[in-house]
PDB file of all heavy atoms in Angstrom:
ATOM      1  N   LEU A  44     132.760 -70.462  73.112  1.00 92.00           N
ATOM      2  CA  LEU A  44     133.090 -69.098  73.510  1.00 92.00           C
ATOM      3  C   LEU A  44     133.605 -69.079  74.937  1.00 92.00           C
ATOM      4  O   LEU A  44     132.980 -69.666  75.827  1.00 92.00           O
ATOM      5  CB  LEU A  44     131.845 -68.204  73.422  1.00 92.00           C
ATOM      6  CG  LEU A  44     131.989 -66.759  73.893  1.00 92.00           C
ATOM      7  CD1 LEU A  44     132.898 -65.971  72.949  1.00 92.00           C
ATOM      8  CD2 LEU A  44     130.629 -66.094  74.005  1.00 92.00           C
ATOM      9  N   LEU A  45     134.719 -68.407  75.141  1.00 91.00           N
ATOM     10  CA  LEU A  45     135.243 -68.160  76.479  1.00 91.00           C
ATOM     11  C   LEU A  45     134.993 -66.696  76.787  1.00 91.00           C
ATOM     12  O   LEU A  45     135.473 -65.819  76.070  1.00 91.00           O
ATOM     13  CB  LEU A  45     136.746 -68.452  76.531  1.00 91.00           C
ATOM     14  CG  LEU A  45     137.434 -68.112  77.855  1.00 91.00           C
ATOM     15  CD1 LEU A  45     136.939 -69.020  78.970  1.00 91.00           C
ATOM     16  CD2 LEU A  45     138.940 -68.224  77.704  1.00 91.00           C
ATOM     17  N   PHE A  46     134.203 -66.438  77.820  1.00 88.00           N
ATOM     18  CA  PHE A  46     133.884 -65.072  78.240  1.00 88.00           C
ATOM     19  C   PHE A  46     134.613 -64.848  79.558  1.00 88.00           C
ATOM     20  O   PHE A  46     134.294 -65.477  80.556  1.00 88.00           O
ATOM     21  CB  PHE A  46     132.371 -64.936  78.391  1.00 88.00           C
ATOM     22  CG  PHE A  46     131.901 -63.579  78.810  1.00 88.00           C
ATOM     23  CD1 PHE A  46     132.454 -62.417  78.296  1.00 88.00           C
ATOM     24  CD2 PHE A  46     130.852 -63.466  79.712  1.00 88.00           C
ATOM     25  CE1 PHE A  46     131.995 -61.171  78.673  1.00 88.00           C
ATOM     26  CE2 PHE A  46     130.371 -62.232  80.090  1.00 88.00           C
ATOM     27  CZ  PHE A  46     130.951 -61.082  79.575  1.00 88.00           C
ATOM     28  N   THR A  47     135.630 -63.973  79.546  1.00 83.00           N
ATOM     29  CA  THR A  47     136.497 -63.850  80.705  1.00 83.00           C
ATOM     30  C   THR A  47     136.726 -62.413  81.131  1.00 83.00           C
ATOM     31  O   THR A  47     136.877 -61.530  80.290  1.00 83.00           O
ATOM     32  CB  THR A  47     137.863 -64.526  80.435  1.00 83.00           C
ATOM     33  OG1 THR A  47     138.695 -64.381  81.577  1.00 83.00           O
ATOM     34  CG2 THR A  47     138.576 -63.960  79.229  1.00 83.00           C
ATOM     35  N   ASP A  48     136.744 -62.206  82.438  1.00 81.00           N
ATOM     36  CA  ASP A  48     137.097 -60.913  82.990  1.00 81.00           C
ATOM     37  C   ASP A  48     138.584 -60.698  82.757  1.00 81.00           C
ATOM     38  O   ASP A  48     139.359 -61.659  82.719  1.00 81.00           O
ATOM     39  CB  ASP A  48     136.779 -60.888  84.485  1.00 81.00           C
ATOM     40  CG  ASP A  48     136.743 -59.510  85.077  1.00 81.00           C
ATOM     41  OD1 ASP A  48     137.016 -58.531  84.362  1.00 81.00           O
ATOM     42  OD2 ASP A  48     136.438 -59.407  86.277  1.00 81.00           O
ATOM     43  N   VAL A  49     139.004 -59.461  82.599  1.00 79.00           N
ATOM     44  CA  VAL A  49     140.417 -59.161  82.387  1.00 79.00           C
ATOM     45  C   VAL A  49     141.174 -59.202  83.704  1.00 79.00           C
ATOM     46  O   VAL A  49     142.234 -59.813  83.806  1.00 79.00           O
ATOM     47  CB  VAL A  49     140.603 -57.785  81.711  1.00 79.00           C
ATOM     48  CG1 VAL A  49     142.068 -57.412  81.626  1.00 79.00           C
ATOM     49  CG2 VAL A  49     139.980 -57.806  80.316  1.00 79.00           C
ATOM     50  N   VAL A  50     140.640 -58.556  84.727  1.00 75.00           N
ATOM     51  CA  VAL A  50     141.341 -58.433  86.011  1.00 75.00           C
ATOM     52  C   VAL A  50     140.920 -59.585  86.914  1.00 75.00           C
ATOM     53  O   VAL A  50     139.754 -59.676  87.313  1.00 75.00           O
ATOM     54  CB  VAL A  50     141.046 -57.077  86.677  1.00 75.00           C
ATOM     55  CG1 VAL A  50     141.754 -56.981  88.023  1.00 75.00           C
ATOM     56  CG2 VAL A  50     141.470 -55.935  85.760  1.00 75.00           C
ATOM     57  N   MET A  51     141.876 -60.469  87.202  1.00 75.00           N
ATOM     58  CA  MET A  51     141.626 -61.598  88.090  1.00 75.00           C
ATOM     59  C   MET A  51     142.810 -61.744  89.032  1.00 75.00           C
ATOM     60  O   MET A  51     143.947 -61.533  88.623  1.00 75.00           O
ATOM     61  CB  MET A  51     141.463 -62.891  87.291  1.00 75.00           C
ATOM     62  CG  MET A  51     140.281 -62.909  86.365  1.00 75.00           C
ATOM     63  SD  MET A  51     139.927 -64.537  85.658  1.00 75.00           S
ATOM     64  CE  MET A  51     141.341 -64.824  84.617  1.00 75.00           C
ATOM     65  N   PRO A  52     142.548 -62.105  90.283  1.00 71.00           N
ATOM     66  CA  PRO A  52     143.662 -62.365  91.202  1.00 71.00           C
ATOM     67  C   PRO A  52     144.400 -63.637  90.799  1.00 71.00           C
ATOM     68  O   PRO A  52     143.872 -64.458  90.054  1.00 71.00           O
ATOM     69  CB  PRO A  52     142.972 -62.527  92.554  1.00 71.00           C
ATOM     70  CG  PRO A  52     141.573 -62.932  92.229  1.00 71.00           C
ATOM     71  CD  PRO A  52     141.252 -62.307  90.899  1.00 71.00           C
ATOM     72  N   GLY A  53     145.602 -63.772  91.266  1.00 72.00           N
ATOM     73  CA  GLY A  53     146.374 -64.971  90.972  1.00 72.00           C
ATOM     74  C   GLY A  53     147.376 -64.735  89.869  1.00 72.00           C
ATOM     75  O   GLY A  53     147.607 -63.607  89.431  1.00 72.00           O
ATOM     76  N   THR A  54     147.961 -65.797  89.389  1.00 85.00           N
ATOM     77  CA  THR A  54     149.035 -65.698  88.399  1.00 85.00           C
ATOM     78  C   THR A  54     148.524 -65.547  86.976  1.00 85.00           C
ATOM     79  O   THR A  54     149.286 -65.192  86.090  1.00 85.00           O
ATOM     80  CB  THR A  54     149.943 -66.939  88.470  1.00 85.00           C
ATOM     81  OG1 THR A  54     149.149 -68.101  88.224  1.00 85.00           O
ATOM     82  CG2 THR A  54     150.601 -67.051  89.835  1.00 85.00           C
ATOM     83  N   MET A  55     147.251 -65.825  86.748  1.00 88.00           N
ATOM     84  CA  MET A  55     146.701 -65.778  85.392  1.00 88.00           C
ATOM     85  C   MET A  55     145.546 -64.793  85.344  1.00 88.00           C
ATOM     86  O   MET A  55     144.534 -64.988  85.998  1.00 88.00           O
ATOM     87  CB  MET A  55     146.221 -67.174  84.985  1.00 88.00           C
ATOM     88  CG  MET A  55     145.843 -67.301  83.539  1.00 88.00           C
ATOM     89  SD  MET A  55     145.250 -68.957  83.061  1.00 88.00           S
ATOM     90  CE  MET A  55     146.520 -70.017  83.686  1.00 88.00           C
ATOM     91  N   ASP A  56     145.697 -63.716  84.542  1.00 85.00           N
ATOM     92  CA  ASP A  56     144.563 -62.817  84.352  1.00 85.00           C
ATOM     93  C   ASP A  56     143.725 -63.337  83.183  1.00 85.00           C
ATOM     94  O   ASP A  56     144.037 -64.357  82.576  1.00 85.00           O
ATOM     95  CB  ASP A  56     145.012 -61.361  84.156  1.00 85.00           C
ATOM     96  CG  ASP A  56     145.773 -61.097  82.864  1.00 85.00           C
ATOM     97  OD1 ASP A  56     145.676 -61.892  81.904  1.00 85.00           O
ATOM     98  OD2 ASP A  56     146.463 -60.071  82.794  1.00 85.00           O
ATOM     99  N   GLY A  57     142.653 -62.629  82.877  1.00 85.00           N
ATOM    100  CA  GLY A  57     141.751 -63.090  81.828  1.00 85.00           C
ATOM    101  C   GLY A  57     142.380 -63.153  80.450  1.00 85.00           C
ATOM    102  O   GLY A  57     142.058 -64.038  79.656  1.00 85.00           O
ATOM    103  N   ILE A  58     143.286 -62.224  80.169  1.00 88.00           N
ATOM    104  CA  ILE A  58     143.953 -62.247  78.869  1.00 88.00           C
ATOM    105  C   ILE A  58     144.903 -63.436  78.784  1.00 88.00           C
ATOM    106  O   ILE A  58     144.963 -64.127  77.766  1.00 88.00           O
ATOM    107  CB  ILE A  58     144.666 -60.911  78.595  1.00 88.00           C
ATOM    108  CG1 ILE A  58     143.621 -59.798  78.471  1.00 88.00           C
ATOM    109  CG2 ILE A  58     145.521 -60.992  77.335  1.00 88.00           C
ATOM    110  CD1 ILE A  58     144.194 -58.397  78.415  1.00 88.00           C
ATOM    111  N   ASP A  59     145.625 -63.704  79.877  1.00 90.00           N
ATOM    112  CA  ASP A  59     146.495 -64.889  79.913  1.00 90.00           C
ATOM    113  C   ASP A  59     145.668 -66.159  79.735  1.00 90.00           C
ATOM    114  O   ASP A  59     146.057 -67.068  78.993  1.00 90.00           O
ATOM    115  CB  ASP A  59     147.263 -64.964  81.235  1.00 90.00           C
ATOM    116  CG  ASP A  59     148.215 -63.807  81.448  1.00 90.00           C
ATOM    117  OD1 ASP A  59     148.724 -63.252  80.448  1.00 90.00           O
ATOM    118  OD2 ASP A  59     148.458 -63.451  82.625  1.00 90.00           O
TER     119      ASP A  59
END
Side-chain angles (χ1 to χ4, degrees):
L44 176 68
L45 175 67
F46 180 41
T47 179
D48 196 357
V49 174
V50 179
M51 297 191 293
T54 59
M55 190 181 309
D56 67 20
I58 295 171
D59 297 331

